[in-house]
Short mmCIF file of all heavy atoms in Angstrom, two decimals:
data_model
loop_
_atom_site.label_atom_id
_atom_site.label_comp_id
_atom_site.label_asym_id
_atom_site.label_seq_id
_atom_site.Cartn_x
_atom_site.Cartn_y
_atom_site.Cartn_z
N MET A 1 -94.01 -134.99 -150.47
CA MET A 1 -95.01 -135.08 -151.50
C MET A 1 -96.44 -134.94 -150.96
O MET A 1 -97.25 -134.32 -151.64
CB MET A 1 -94.90 -136.48 -152.17
CG MET A 1 -94.57 -136.65 -153.57
SD MET A 1 -94.46 -135.36 -154.74
CE MET A 1 -95.10 -136.21 -156.07
N GLU A 2 -96.65 -135.47 -149.84
CA GLU A 2 -97.95 -135.47 -149.23
C GLU A 2 -98.43 -134.06 -148.91
O GLU A 2 -99.61 -133.68 -149.12
CB GLU A 2 -97.95 -136.30 -147.97
CG GLU A 2 -99.20 -137.17 -147.78
CD GLU A 2 -99.07 -138.02 -146.61
OE1 GLU A 2 -98.49 -139.16 -146.78
OE2 GLU A 2 -99.46 -137.63 -145.55
N ILE A 3 -97.50 -133.23 -148.45
CA ILE A 3 -97.82 -131.87 -148.07
C ILE A 3 -98.22 -131.05 -149.31
O ILE A 3 -99.20 -130.31 -149.30
CB ILE A 3 -96.66 -131.12 -147.35
CG1 ILE A 3 -96.47 -131.83 -145.97
CG2 ILE A 3 -96.95 -129.62 -147.17
CD1 ILE A 3 -95.23 -131.28 -145.22
N ILE A 4 -97.52 -131.29 -150.41
CA ILE A 4 -97.90 -130.62 -151.65
C ILE A 4 -99.22 -131.03 -152.19
O ILE A 4 -100.03 -130.18 -152.63
CB ILE A 4 -96.79 -130.92 -152.73
CG1 ILE A 4 -95.44 -130.24 -152.34
CG2 ILE A 4 -97.25 -130.47 -154.11
CD1 ILE A 4 -94.30 -130.55 -153.28
N ASP A 5 -99.59 -132.30 -152.06
CA ASP A 5 -100.88 -132.80 -152.45
C ASP A 5 -102.00 -132.15 -151.59
O ASP A 5 -103.03 -131.73 -152.11
CB ASP A 5 -100.97 -134.32 -152.32
CG ASP A 5 -100.15 -135.05 -153.36
OD1 ASP A 5 -99.78 -134.38 -154.41
OD2 ASP A 5 -99.79 -136.21 -153.14
N ILE A 6 -101.75 -132.09 -150.29
CA ILE A 6 -102.74 -131.40 -149.38
C ILE A 6 -102.93 -129.93 -149.77
O ILE A 6 -104.00 -129.49 -149.86
CB ILE A 6 -102.29 -131.56 -147.95
CG1 ILE A 6 -102.33 -133.03 -147.50
CG2 ILE A 6 -103.12 -130.72 -147.05
CD1 ILE A 6 -101.69 -133.33 -146.11
N LEU A 7 -101.79 -129.29 -150.00
CA LEU A 7 -101.88 -127.89 -150.39
C LEU A 7 -102.63 -127.70 -151.71
O LEU A 7 -103.39 -126.79 -151.85
CB LEU A 7 -100.50 -127.23 -150.47
CG LEU A 7 -99.78 -127.01 -149.11
CD1 LEU A 7 -98.33 -126.58 -149.37
CD2 LEU A 7 -100.56 -126.03 -148.26
N GLU A 8 -102.33 -128.59 -152.67
CA GLU A 8 -103.02 -128.48 -154.04
C GLU A 8 -104.50 -128.69 -153.83
O GLU A 8 -105.31 -128.01 -154.43
CB GLU A 8 -102.44 -129.51 -154.93
CG GLU A 8 -101.12 -129.14 -155.52
CD GLU A 8 -100.62 -130.23 -156.44
OE1 GLU A 8 -101.20 -131.28 -156.56
OE2 GLU A 8 -99.55 -129.95 -157.05
N ASN A 9 -104.91 -129.63 -153.01
CA ASN A 9 -106.32 -129.89 -152.78
C ASN A 9 -106.97 -128.73 -152.09
O ASN A 9 -108.05 -128.37 -152.43
CB ASN A 9 -106.51 -131.17 -151.93
CG ASN A 9 -106.27 -132.44 -152.70
OD1 ASN A 9 -106.36 -132.48 -153.88
ND2 ASN A 9 -105.91 -133.53 -152.02
N ARG A 10 -106.27 -128.12 -151.13
CA ARG A 10 -106.87 -126.89 -150.46
C ARG A 10 -107.00 -125.78 -151.42
O ARG A 10 -108.01 -125.10 -151.41
CB ARG A 10 -106.00 -126.56 -149.25
CG ARG A 10 -106.18 -127.47 -148.11
CD ARG A 10 -105.53 -126.99 -146.84
NE ARG A 10 -105.68 -127.93 -145.82
CZ ARG A 10 -105.03 -127.86 -144.66
NH1 ARG A 10 -104.25 -126.81 -144.41
NH2 ARG A 10 -105.23 -128.75 -143.68
N ILE A 11 -106.00 -125.62 -152.26
CA ILE A 11 -106.10 -124.54 -153.25
C ILE A 11 -107.27 -124.79 -154.22
O ILE A 11 -108.03 -123.90 -154.58
CB ILE A 11 -104.74 -124.41 -154.08
CG1 ILE A 11 -103.69 -123.79 -153.13
CG2 ILE A 11 -104.95 -123.55 -155.28
CD1 ILE A 11 -102.27 -123.90 -153.71
N LYS A 12 -107.37 -126.07 -154.72
CA LYS A 12 -108.53 -126.39 -155.57
C LYS A 12 -109.84 -126.16 -154.88
O LYS A 12 -110.83 -125.56 -155.49
CB LYS A 12 -108.44 -127.81 -156.01
CG LYS A 12 -107.34 -128.07 -157.03
CD LYS A 12 -107.24 -129.56 -157.39
CE LYS A 12 -106.07 -129.86 -158.28
NZ LYS A 12 -105.93 -131.29 -158.56
N GLU A 13 -109.96 -126.53 -153.65
CA GLU A 13 -111.23 -126.32 -152.89
C GLU A 13 -111.50 -124.84 -152.78
O GLU A 13 -112.66 -124.36 -152.91
CB GLU A 13 -111.12 -126.94 -151.48
CG GLU A 13 -111.19 -128.51 -151.48
CD GLU A 13 -110.97 -129.04 -150.12
OE1 GLU A 13 -110.93 -128.29 -149.17
OE2 GLU A 13 -110.81 -130.27 -150.05
N THR A 14 -110.49 -124.00 -152.46
CA THR A 14 -110.66 -122.64 -152.26
C THR A 14 -111.08 -121.97 -153.65
O THR A 14 -111.92 -121.11 -153.62
CB THR A 14 -109.37 -121.98 -151.79
OG1 THR A 14 -108.95 -122.64 -150.54
CG2 THR A 14 -109.49 -120.55 -151.55
N LEU A 15 -110.50 -122.40 -154.71
CA LEU A 15 -110.87 -121.85 -156.00
C LEU A 15 -112.31 -122.22 -156.33
O LEU A 15 -113.05 -121.37 -156.91
CB LEU A 15 -109.87 -122.35 -157.09
CG LEU A 15 -108.49 -121.78 -157.04
CD1 LEU A 15 -107.55 -122.43 -158.03
CD2 LEU A 15 -108.48 -120.27 -157.20
N LEU A 16 -112.72 -123.46 -156.04
CA LEU A 16 -114.09 -123.85 -156.24
C LEU A 16 -115.07 -123.03 -155.50
O LEU A 16 -116.09 -122.52 -155.98
CB LEU A 16 -114.28 -125.31 -155.98
CG LEU A 16 -113.77 -126.28 -157.01
CD1 LEU A 16 -113.90 -127.75 -156.49
CD2 LEU A 16 -114.53 -126.15 -158.36
N LYS A 17 -114.71 -122.80 -154.20
CA LYS A 17 -115.59 -121.99 -153.34
C LYS A 17 -115.68 -120.56 -153.86
O LYS A 17 -116.71 -119.95 -153.89
CB LYS A 17 -114.97 -121.93 -151.95
CG LYS A 17 -115.26 -123.23 -151.09
CD LYS A 17 -114.75 -123.09 -149.71
CE LYS A 17 -114.87 -124.39 -149.02
NZ LYS A 17 -114.24 -124.36 -147.62
N LYS A 18 -114.51 -120.04 -154.33
CA LYS A 18 -114.45 -118.68 -154.88
C LYS A 18 -115.37 -118.55 -156.09
O LYS A 18 -116.13 -117.64 -156.23
CB LYS A 18 -113.03 -118.30 -155.20
CG LYS A 18 -112.92 -116.87 -155.75
CD LYS A 18 -111.49 -116.58 -156.20
CE LYS A 18 -111.50 -115.20 -156.80
NZ LYS A 18 -110.46 -114.96 -157.80
N ALA A 19 -115.25 -119.57 -156.93
CA ALA A 19 -116.09 -119.56 -158.20
C ALA A 19 -117.55 -119.62 -157.87
O ALA A 19 -118.39 -118.93 -158.48
CB ALA A 19 -115.70 -120.72 -159.11
N LYS A 20 -117.93 -120.45 -156.86
CA LYS A 20 -119.33 -120.57 -156.42
C LYS A 20 -119.83 -119.22 -155.83
O LYS A 20 -120.90 -118.79 -156.20
CB LYS A 20 -119.49 -121.67 -155.43
CG LYS A 20 -119.41 -123.09 -155.98
CD LYS A 20 -119.64 -124.07 -154.87
CE LYS A 20 -119.44 -125.54 -155.43
NZ LYS A 20 -119.60 -126.55 -154.38
N LEU A 21 -118.97 -118.61 -155.03
CA LEU A 21 -119.38 -117.31 -154.47
C LEU A 21 -119.50 -116.20 -155.51
O LEU A 21 -120.41 -115.42 -155.44
CB LEU A 21 -118.32 -116.89 -153.38
CG LEU A 21 -118.34 -117.68 -152.10
CD1 LEU A 21 -117.15 -117.25 -151.21
CD2 LEU A 21 -119.67 -117.42 -151.34
N GLU A 22 -118.65 -116.23 -156.50
CA GLU A 22 -118.74 -115.26 -157.57
C GLU A 22 -120.04 -115.45 -158.43
O GLU A 22 -120.68 -114.53 -158.77
CB GLU A 22 -117.51 -115.32 -158.47
CG GLU A 22 -116.26 -114.77 -157.85
CD GLU A 22 -115.00 -114.97 -158.67
OE1 GLU A 22 -115.01 -115.83 -159.57
OE2 GLU A 22 -113.97 -114.29 -158.35
N ALA A 23 -120.31 -116.72 -158.65
CA ALA A 23 -121.61 -117.01 -159.39
C ALA A 23 -122.81 -116.56 -158.55
O ALA A 23 -123.75 -116.02 -159.13
CB ALA A 23 -121.65 -118.49 -159.72
N GLU A 24 -122.73 -116.87 -157.28
CA GLU A 24 -123.83 -116.47 -156.43
C GLU A 24 -123.99 -114.94 -156.38
O GLU A 24 -125.07 -114.38 -156.39
CB GLU A 24 -123.54 -116.96 -154.97
CG GLU A 24 -124.69 -117.67 -154.33
CD GLU A 24 -124.27 -118.22 -152.99
OE1 GLU A 24 -123.75 -119.33 -152.87
OE2 GLU A 24 -124.51 -117.50 -151.99
N CYS A 25 -122.82 -114.24 -156.36
CA CYS A 25 -122.83 -112.81 -156.34
C CYS A 25 -123.45 -112.28 -157.63
O CYS A 25 -124.27 -111.30 -157.58
CB CYS A 25 -121.38 -112.28 -156.15
SG CYS A 25 -121.29 -110.53 -156.04
N ARG A 26 -123.11 -112.81 -158.71
CA ARG A 26 -123.67 -112.43 -160.00
C ARG A 26 -125.23 -112.59 -160.02
O ARG A 26 -125.95 -111.73 -160.47
CB ARG A 26 -123.10 -113.13 -161.17
CG ARG A 26 -121.69 -112.60 -161.56
CD ARG A 26 -121.23 -113.26 -162.86
NE ARG A 26 -121.12 -114.73 -162.81
CZ ARG A 26 -120.04 -115.38 -162.40
NH1 ARG A 26 -118.91 -114.67 -161.97
NH2 ARG A 26 -120.02 -116.65 -162.46
N GLU A 27 -125.70 -113.73 -159.51
CA GLU A 27 -127.14 -113.98 -159.45
C GLU A 27 -127.79 -113.00 -158.54
O GLU A 27 -128.91 -112.51 -158.84
CB GLU A 27 -127.40 -115.42 -158.98
CG GLU A 27 -127.08 -116.43 -160.01
CD GLU A 27 -127.85 -116.32 -161.36
OE1 GLU A 27 -129.03 -116.08 -161.25
OE2 GLU A 27 -127.19 -116.34 -162.42
N LEU A 28 -127.20 -112.70 -157.42
CA LEU A 28 -127.78 -111.76 -156.45
C LEU A 28 -127.84 -110.34 -157.08
O LEU A 28 -128.81 -109.64 -156.89
CB LEU A 28 -127.03 -111.74 -155.14
CG LEU A 28 -127.19 -112.99 -154.27
CD1 LEU A 28 -126.24 -112.96 -153.12
CD2 LEU A 28 -128.63 -113.16 -153.82
N LEU A 29 -126.79 -109.98 -157.80
CA LEU A 29 -126.76 -108.64 -158.48
C LEU A 29 -127.89 -108.61 -159.51
O LEU A 29 -128.57 -107.53 -159.60
CB LEU A 29 -125.42 -108.37 -159.08
CG LEU A 29 -124.29 -108.04 -158.18
CD1 LEU A 29 -122.98 -107.95 -158.87
CD2 LEU A 29 -124.61 -106.74 -157.42
N LYS A 30 -128.11 -109.68 -160.24
CA LYS A 30 -129.22 -109.69 -161.22
C LYS A 30 -130.55 -109.53 -160.49
O LYS A 30 -131.44 -108.74 -160.96
CB LYS A 30 -129.25 -110.99 -161.98
CG LYS A 30 -128.15 -111.14 -163.02
CD LYS A 30 -128.24 -112.45 -163.72
CE LYS A 30 -127.09 -112.75 -164.60
NZ LYS A 30 -127.15 -114.11 -165.22
N GLU A 31 -130.75 -110.23 -159.38
CA GLU A 31 -131.95 -110.15 -158.61
C GLU A 31 -132.17 -108.76 -158.06
O GLU A 31 -133.27 -108.21 -158.09
CB GLU A 31 -131.88 -111.16 -157.49
CG GLU A 31 -133.24 -111.60 -157.01
CD GLU A 31 -133.15 -112.81 -156.05
OE1 GLU A 31 -132.40 -113.74 -156.31
OE2 GLU A 31 -133.87 -112.76 -155.05
N VAL A 32 -131.06 -108.11 -157.59
CA VAL A 32 -131.16 -106.74 -157.05
C VAL A 32 -131.62 -105.78 -158.15
O VAL A 32 -132.51 -104.91 -157.93
CB VAL A 32 -129.84 -106.29 -156.38
CG1 VAL A 32 -129.85 -104.80 -156.15
CG2 VAL A 32 -129.65 -107.13 -155.06
N ASN A 33 -131.03 -105.95 -159.30
CA ASN A 33 -131.40 -105.02 -160.43
C ASN A 33 -132.79 -105.25 -160.82
O ASN A 33 -133.53 -104.26 -161.13
CB ASN A 33 -130.40 -105.25 -161.61
CG ASN A 33 -129.04 -104.72 -161.38
OD1 ASN A 33 -128.83 -103.70 -160.61
ND2 ASN A 33 -128.08 -105.30 -161.96
N MET A 34 -133.27 -106.45 -160.87
CA MET A 34 -134.67 -106.80 -161.20
C MET A 34 -135.53 -106.15 -160.17
O MET A 34 -136.63 -105.47 -160.53
CB MET A 34 -134.87 -108.27 -161.24
CG MET A 34 -136.31 -108.65 -161.64
SD MET A 34 -136.52 -110.46 -161.56
CE MET A 34 -136.44 -110.77 -159.82
N LEU A 35 -135.24 -106.24 -158.88
CA LEU A 35 -136.13 -105.66 -157.89
C LEU A 35 -136.06 -104.11 -157.95
O LEU A 35 -137.13 -103.50 -157.75
CB LEU A 35 -135.57 -106.11 -156.47
CG LEU A 35 -135.88 -107.56 -156.12
CD1 LEU A 35 -135.12 -107.94 -154.85
CD2 LEU A 35 -137.33 -107.86 -155.99
N ARG A 36 -134.99 -103.57 -158.26
CA ARG A 36 -134.89 -102.09 -158.41
C ARG A 36 -135.83 -101.63 -159.56
O ARG A 36 -136.57 -100.64 -159.44
CB ARG A 36 -133.46 -101.63 -158.77
CG ARG A 36 -132.61 -101.61 -157.51
CD ARG A 36 -131.24 -101.03 -157.90
NE ARG A 36 -130.41 -100.99 -156.68
CZ ARG A 36 -129.11 -101.13 -156.70
NH1 ARG A 36 -128.45 -101.35 -157.77
NH2 ARG A 36 -128.42 -101.10 -155.55
N GLU A 37 -135.83 -102.39 -160.65
CA GLU A 37 -136.75 -102.06 -161.79
C GLU A 37 -138.20 -102.21 -161.40
O GLU A 37 -139.01 -101.33 -161.76
CB GLU A 37 -136.46 -102.98 -162.97
CG GLU A 37 -135.11 -102.71 -163.67
CD GLU A 37 -134.75 -103.75 -164.75
OE1 GLU A 37 -135.68 -104.49 -165.22
OE2 GLU A 37 -133.63 -103.78 -165.20
N LYS A 38 -138.51 -103.22 -160.61
CA LYS A 38 -139.90 -103.41 -160.17
C LYS A 38 -140.35 -102.22 -159.23
O LYS A 38 -141.41 -101.78 -159.33
CB LYS A 38 -140.05 -104.73 -159.48
CG LYS A 38 -140.03 -105.89 -160.41
CD LYS A 38 -140.28 -107.27 -159.79
CE LYS A 38 -140.28 -108.35 -160.79
NZ LYS A 38 -140.63 -109.66 -160.14
N VAL A 39 -139.41 -101.86 -158.33
CA VAL A 39 -139.72 -100.76 -157.43
C VAL A 39 -139.91 -99.42 -158.24
O VAL A 39 -140.93 -98.69 -157.94
CB VAL A 39 -138.56 -100.56 -156.41
CG1 VAL A 39 -138.71 -99.24 -155.67
CG2 VAL A 39 -138.56 -101.71 -155.37
N LYS A 40 -139.13 -99.20 -159.21
CA LYS A 40 -139.26 -98.01 -160.01
C LYS A 40 -140.60 -98.07 -160.73
O LYS A 40 -141.35 -97.04 -160.78
CB LYS A 40 -138.13 -97.98 -161.03
CG LYS A 40 -138.19 -96.72 -161.88
CD LYS A 40 -137.01 -96.71 -162.88
CE LYS A 40 -137.10 -95.48 -163.81
NZ LYS A 40 -135.98 -95.46 -164.79
N LYS A 41 -140.98 -99.25 -161.28
CA LYS A 41 -142.25 -99.33 -161.94
C LYS A 41 -143.44 -99.11 -160.98
O LYS A 41 -144.38 -98.38 -161.26
CB LYS A 41 -142.42 -100.74 -162.57
CG LYS A 41 -143.66 -100.91 -163.37
CD LYS A 41 -143.71 -102.24 -164.01
CE LYS A 41 -145.04 -102.47 -164.75
NZ LYS A 41 -145.18 -103.84 -165.30
N LEU A 42 -143.32 -99.63 -159.80
CA LEU A 42 -144.35 -99.48 -158.77
C LEU A 42 -144.46 -97.97 -158.41
O LEU A 42 -145.62 -97.47 -158.19
CB LEU A 42 -144.14 -100.32 -157.52
CG LEU A 42 -144.39 -101.81 -157.73
CD1 LEU A 42 -143.87 -102.56 -156.49
CD2 LEU A 42 -145.90 -102.04 -157.91
N GLU A 43 -143.36 -97.31 -158.24
CA GLU A 43 -143.39 -95.90 -157.90
C GLU A 43 -144.07 -95.10 -159.02
O GLU A 43 -144.85 -94.15 -158.73
CB GLU A 43 -141.98 -95.38 -157.66
CG GLU A 43 -141.40 -95.84 -156.38
CD GLU A 43 -139.91 -95.48 -156.15
OE1 GLU A 43 -139.26 -95.05 -157.17
OE2 GLU A 43 -139.43 -95.64 -155.03
N GLU A 44 -143.76 -95.41 -160.27
CA GLU A 44 -144.42 -94.71 -161.38
C GLU A 44 -145.91 -94.97 -161.40
O GLU A 44 -146.73 -94.07 -161.64
CB GLU A 44 -143.81 -95.24 -162.71
CG GLU A 44 -142.37 -94.75 -162.94
CD GLU A 44 -141.72 -95.45 -164.13
OE1 GLU A 44 -142.28 -96.34 -164.74
OE2 GLU A 44 -140.57 -95.03 -164.44
N GLU A 45 -146.32 -96.23 -161.15
CA GLU A 45 -147.74 -96.56 -161.08
C GLU A 45 -148.43 -95.87 -159.91
O GLU A 45 -149.54 -95.35 -160.06
CB GLU A 45 -147.94 -98.05 -160.96
CG GLU A 45 -147.57 -98.80 -162.22
CD GLU A 45 -147.65 -100.38 -162.02
OE1 GLU A 45 -147.95 -100.83 -160.89
OE2 GLU A 45 -147.40 -101.07 -163.02
N ARG A 46 -147.73 -95.73 -158.81
CA ARG A 46 -148.27 -94.99 -157.66
C ARG A 46 -148.50 -93.53 -157.96
O ARG A 46 -149.55 -92.97 -157.68
CB ARG A 46 -147.32 -95.12 -156.46
CG ARG A 46 -147.91 -94.43 -155.21
CD ARG A 46 -146.98 -94.56 -154.08
NE ARG A 46 -145.76 -93.80 -154.35
CZ ARG A 46 -144.71 -93.78 -153.64
NH1 ARG A 46 -144.64 -94.48 -152.53
NH2 ARG A 46 -143.65 -93.03 -153.97
N GLU A 47 -147.56 -92.90 -158.68
CA GLU A 47 -147.69 -91.53 -159.07
C GLU A 47 -148.86 -91.27 -160.08
O GLU A 47 -149.58 -90.38 -159.91
CB GLU A 47 -146.32 -91.06 -159.69
CG GLU A 47 -146.34 -89.59 -160.10
CD GLU A 47 -146.57 -88.64 -158.97
OE1 GLU A 47 -146.32 -88.95 -157.85
OE2 GLU A 47 -147.01 -87.50 -159.26
N GLU A 48 -148.95 -92.25 -160.97
CA GLU A 48 -150.07 -92.18 -161.94
C GLU A 48 -151.40 -92.29 -161.20
O GLU A 48 -152.34 -91.52 -161.48
CB GLU A 48 -149.98 -93.24 -163.01
CG GLU A 48 -148.81 -93.04 -164.01
CD GLU A 48 -148.67 -94.28 -164.93
OE1 GLU A 48 -149.53 -95.20 -164.92
OE2 GLU A 48 -147.68 -94.28 -165.68
N ALA A 49 -151.51 -93.19 -160.25
CA ALA A 49 -152.71 -93.33 -159.49
C ALA A 49 -153.04 -92.14 -158.69
O ALA A 49 -154.16 -91.65 -158.60
CB ALA A 49 -152.58 -94.57 -158.61
N ARG A 50 -151.99 -91.53 -158.08
CA ARG A 50 -152.15 -90.26 -157.31
C ARG A 50 -152.66 -89.15 -158.15
O ARG A 50 -153.65 -88.44 -157.76
CB ARG A 50 -150.81 -89.87 -156.66
CG ARG A 50 -151.01 -88.67 -155.68
CD ARG A 50 -149.58 -88.22 -155.26
NE ARG A 50 -148.79 -87.65 -156.34
CZ ARG A 50 -148.98 -86.46 -156.88
NH1 ARG A 50 -149.93 -85.70 -156.51
NH2 ARG A 50 -148.17 -86.02 -157.88
N GLN A 51 -152.17 -89.00 -159.38
CA GLN A 51 -152.59 -88.01 -160.30
C GLN A 51 -154.08 -88.19 -160.71
O GLN A 51 -154.86 -87.30 -160.75
CB GLN A 51 -151.71 -87.93 -161.50
CG GLN A 51 -150.32 -87.36 -161.21
CD GLN A 51 -149.44 -87.44 -162.42
OE1 GLN A 51 -149.79 -87.98 -163.47
NE2 GLN A 51 -148.21 -86.95 -162.23
N LYS A 52 -154.43 -89.47 -160.90
CA LYS A 52 -155.85 -89.77 -161.30
C LYS A 52 -156.78 -89.43 -160.14
O LYS A 52 -157.84 -88.90 -160.38
CB LYS A 52 -155.96 -91.25 -161.72
CG LYS A 52 -155.39 -91.56 -163.02
CD LYS A 52 -155.49 -93.04 -163.33
CE LYS A 52 -154.84 -93.41 -164.66
NZ LYS A 52 -154.92 -94.83 -164.94
N ILE A 53 -156.35 -89.75 -158.93
CA ILE A 53 -157.20 -89.50 -157.77
C ILE A 53 -157.32 -87.95 -157.63
O ILE A 53 -158.43 -87.51 -157.33
CB ILE A 53 -156.56 -90.11 -156.51
CG1 ILE A 53 -156.73 -91.70 -156.60
CG2 ILE A 53 -157.20 -89.58 -155.25
CD1 ILE A 53 -156.02 -92.45 -155.48
N GLU A 54 -156.24 -87.22 -157.85
CA GLU A 54 -156.38 -85.78 -157.68
C GLU A 54 -157.32 -85.21 -158.74
O GLU A 54 -158.13 -84.35 -158.46
CB GLU A 54 -154.99 -85.17 -157.93
CG GLU A 54 -154.09 -85.28 -156.68
CD GLU A 54 -152.77 -84.61 -156.85
OE1 GLU A 54 -152.53 -83.91 -157.87
OE2 GLU A 54 -151.90 -84.81 -156.01
N LYS A 55 -157.27 -85.71 -159.96
CA LYS A 55 -158.18 -85.31 -160.95
C LYS A 55 -159.69 -85.59 -160.59
O LYS A 55 -160.59 -84.76 -160.78
CB LYS A 55 -157.89 -85.89 -162.30
CG LYS A 55 -156.66 -85.34 -162.99
CD LYS A 55 -156.42 -86.03 -164.28
CE LYS A 55 -155.03 -85.53 -164.92
NZ LYS A 55 -154.76 -86.21 -166.14
N VAL A 56 -159.93 -86.72 -160.08
CA VAL A 56 -161.24 -87.10 -159.60
C VAL A 56 -161.69 -86.15 -158.49
O VAL A 56 -162.87 -85.74 -158.52
CB VAL A 56 -161.30 -88.62 -159.15
CG1 VAL A 56 -162.60 -88.94 -158.50
CG2 VAL A 56 -161.04 -89.55 -160.39
N ILE A 57 -160.85 -85.94 -157.55
CA ILE A 57 -161.16 -85.03 -156.45
C ILE A 57 -161.51 -83.65 -156.97
O ILE A 57 -162.49 -83.03 -156.55
CB ILE A 57 -160.07 -85.01 -155.39
CG1 ILE A 57 -159.92 -86.33 -154.67
CG2 ILE A 57 -160.28 -83.86 -154.44
CD1 ILE A 57 -158.70 -86.48 -153.77
N GLU A 58 -160.75 -83.15 -157.94
CA GLU A 58 -161.00 -81.85 -158.48
C GLU A 58 -162.40 -81.85 -159.18
O GLU A 58 -163.15 -80.87 -159.05
CB GLU A 58 -159.93 -81.48 -159.50
CG GLU A 58 -158.54 -81.09 -158.90
CD GLU A 58 -157.51 -80.90 -159.94
OE1 GLU A 58 -157.85 -80.85 -161.19
OE2 GLU A 58 -156.37 -80.76 -159.53
N LYS A 59 -162.70 -82.89 -159.88
CA LYS A 59 -163.97 -82.93 -160.59
C LYS A 59 -165.14 -82.95 -159.57
O LYS A 59 -166.17 -82.33 -159.81
CB LYS A 59 -164.07 -84.18 -161.49
CG LYS A 59 -163.23 -83.98 -162.73
CD LYS A 59 -163.30 -85.17 -163.62
CE LYS A 59 -162.37 -85.05 -164.86
NZ LYS A 59 -162.42 -86.21 -165.74
N ILE A 60 -164.94 -83.74 -158.53
CA ILE A 60 -166.02 -83.82 -157.50
C ILE A 60 -166.15 -82.50 -156.79
O ILE A 60 -167.27 -81.99 -156.55
CB ILE A 60 -165.61 -84.91 -156.43
CG1 ILE A 60 -165.75 -86.28 -157.07
CG2 ILE A 60 -166.55 -84.83 -155.24
CD1 ILE A 60 -165.24 -87.43 -156.19
N GLU A 61 -165.02 -81.78 -156.52
CA GLU A 61 -165.10 -80.47 -155.89
C GLU A 61 -165.81 -79.51 -156.84
O GLU A 61 -166.64 -78.68 -156.39
CB GLU A 61 -163.71 -80.00 -155.49
CG GLU A 61 -163.10 -80.70 -154.35
CD GLU A 61 -161.68 -80.23 -154.12
OE1 GLU A 61 -160.99 -79.68 -154.98
OE2 GLU A 61 -161.20 -80.50 -152.97
N LEU A 62 -165.51 -79.55 -158.07
CA LEU A 62 -166.18 -78.74 -159.04
C LEU A 62 -167.63 -78.94 -159.15
O LEU A 62 -168.50 -78.03 -159.11
CB LEU A 62 -165.50 -78.88 -160.43
CG LEU A 62 -166.07 -77.99 -161.57
CD1 LEU A 62 -165.84 -76.54 -161.28
CD2 LEU A 62 -165.47 -78.38 -162.90
N TYR A 63 -168.01 -80.24 -159.14
CA TYR A 63 -169.41 -80.62 -159.19
C TYR A 63 -170.14 -80.11 -157.94
O TYR A 63 -171.24 -79.54 -158.03
CB TYR A 63 -169.51 -82.16 -159.31
CG TYR A 63 -170.94 -82.67 -159.17
CD1 TYR A 63 -171.86 -82.55 -160.28
CD2 TYR A 63 -171.40 -83.23 -157.99
CE1 TYR A 63 -173.11 -82.99 -160.14
CE2 TYR A 63 -172.70 -83.71 -157.85
CZ TYR A 63 -173.57 -83.59 -158.92
OH TYR A 63 -174.88 -84.00 -158.84
N LEU A 64 -169.50 -80.31 -156.81
CA LEU A 64 -170.10 -79.92 -155.52
C LEU A 64 -170.30 -78.39 -155.43
O LEU A 64 -171.30 -77.88 -154.98
CB LEU A 64 -169.33 -80.36 -154.34
CG LEU A 64 -169.35 -81.89 -154.01
CD1 LEU A 64 -168.40 -82.27 -152.93
CD2 LEU A 64 -170.74 -82.34 -153.73
N SER A 65 -169.34 -77.68 -155.95
CA SER A 65 -169.41 -76.18 -155.94
C SER A 65 -170.48 -75.74 -156.92
O SER A 65 -171.19 -74.74 -156.62
CB SER A 65 -168.07 -75.54 -156.34
OG SER A 65 -167.79 -75.79 -157.73
N ARG A 66 -170.72 -76.44 -157.99
CA ARG A 66 -171.81 -76.11 -158.90
C ARG A 66 -173.19 -76.37 -158.26
O ARG A 66 -174.16 -75.69 -158.54
CB ARG A 66 -171.64 -76.77 -160.22
CG ARG A 66 -170.55 -76.28 -161.08
CD ARG A 66 -170.43 -76.99 -162.37
NE ARG A 66 -169.35 -76.52 -163.17
CZ ARG A 66 -168.91 -77.18 -164.25
NH1 ARG A 66 -169.46 -78.30 -164.68
NH2 ARG A 66 -167.87 -76.70 -164.90
N THR A 67 -173.26 -77.50 -157.61
CA THR A 67 -174.55 -77.89 -156.99
C THR A 67 -174.87 -76.99 -155.82
O THR A 67 -176.09 -76.79 -155.53
CB THR A 67 -174.59 -79.37 -156.60
OG1 THR A 67 -173.52 -79.60 -155.70
CG2 THR A 67 -174.44 -80.29 -157.77
N GLU A 68 -173.91 -76.47 -155.13
CA GLU A 68 -174.18 -75.57 -153.98
C GLU A 68 -174.61 -74.21 -154.41
O GLU A 68 -175.34 -73.47 -153.72
CB GLU A 68 -172.93 -75.39 -153.14
CG GLU A 68 -172.55 -76.68 -152.36
CD GLU A 68 -171.24 -76.55 -151.60
OE1 GLU A 68 -170.51 -75.52 -151.73
OE2 GLU A 68 -170.93 -77.49 -150.86
N ALA A 69 -174.23 -73.79 -155.58
CA ALA A 69 -174.56 -72.45 -156.05
C ALA A 69 -175.96 -72.33 -156.50
O ALA A 69 -176.93 -72.88 -156.46
CB ALA A 69 -173.70 -72.11 -157.24
#
């Protein structure tokens, strides 16, 4: 009887550990997805900033070419 009780306890412990690991995995996956979304948003913002800077540079170049003439 004792061996069966020990085995049952080990199985219960293992199942609890498995459930905790699965819950942890789900939380980590949520966090990874959130970070991916944030990275995507930052990349979009960076591209918008780059485009704005290019427009400003073009305007400055145009202004300088007009003042040189």
Side-chain angles (χ1 to χ4, degrees):
M1 241 352 217
E2 222 174 273
I3 294 176
I4 291 176
D5 291 339
I6 292 171
L7 289 174
E8 284 179 355
N9 285 335
R10 287 190 181 170
I11 290 171
K12 287 178 185 176
E13 288 174 9
T14 303
L15 291 174
L16 284 172
K17 285 180 184 178
K18 181 184 176 209
K20 285 181 184 178
L21 288 173
E22 288 172 344
E24 230 178 271
C25 184
R26 283 190 299 274
E27 288 300 313
L28 289 171
L29 286 173
K30 286 180 189 176
E31 206 170 314
V32 165
N33 287 332
M34 182 183 68
L35 289 171
R36 283 184 178 147
E37 289 174 17
K38 287 183 178 183
V39 166
K40 183 179 176 182
K41 183 179 177 184
L42 286 171
E43 287 174 347
E44 290 170 356
E45 290 174 358
R46 181 183 67 186
E47 181 61 24
E48 289 173 9
R50 186 188 64 77
Q51 289 174 358
K52 287 179 183 178
I53 290 171
E54 283 182 9
K55 286 179 184 178
V56 169
I57 290 172
E58 287 174 9
K59 288 180 182 180
I60 291 171
E61 287 174 342
L62 181 63
Y63 173 77
L64 290 174
S65 68
R66 287 182 184 167
T67 58
E68 289 175 354

